[in-house]
Amino acid sequence: MKHFLKAAAITVMILIVLLAVNVICNVNGHELDAVMTGVVASIGALLIDSGLARHEKNRES
């Protein structure tokens, strides 16, 4: 359950950052593709979560 909550928190933080980027781009007249935004969010969350899990595993050893 602990890992699930960490992954959920990471995903929420990434989505908040992407929301801010999307708002800034829309104000400046640039439209971002929703599919690519979703792909970037999922890949970013996966990389951060795997990095944290690896760091935690190394710290336990």
Side-chain angles (χ1 to χ4, degrees):
M1 187 68 167
K2 180 176 155 184
H3 295 290
F4 176 75
L5 292 176
K6 280 184 185 179
I10 291 168
T11 303
V12 168
M13 287 188 299
I14 287 176
L15 289 176
I16 289 171
V17 169
L18 287 176
L19 178 69
V21 168
N22 200 356
V23 167
I24 291 169
C25 287
N26 283 341
V27 167
N28 292 327
H30 301 287
E31 290 290 327
L32 297 179
D33 187 22
V35 174
M36 286 306 297
T37 304
V39 170
V40 168
S42 62
I43 291 174
L46 218 115
L47 290 174
I48 292 172
D49 187 47
S50 66
L52 287 176
R54 186 178 306 129
H55 178 69
E56 185 177 299
K57 185 178 178 182
N58 288 340
R59 190 173 41 167
E60 288 176 358
S61 299

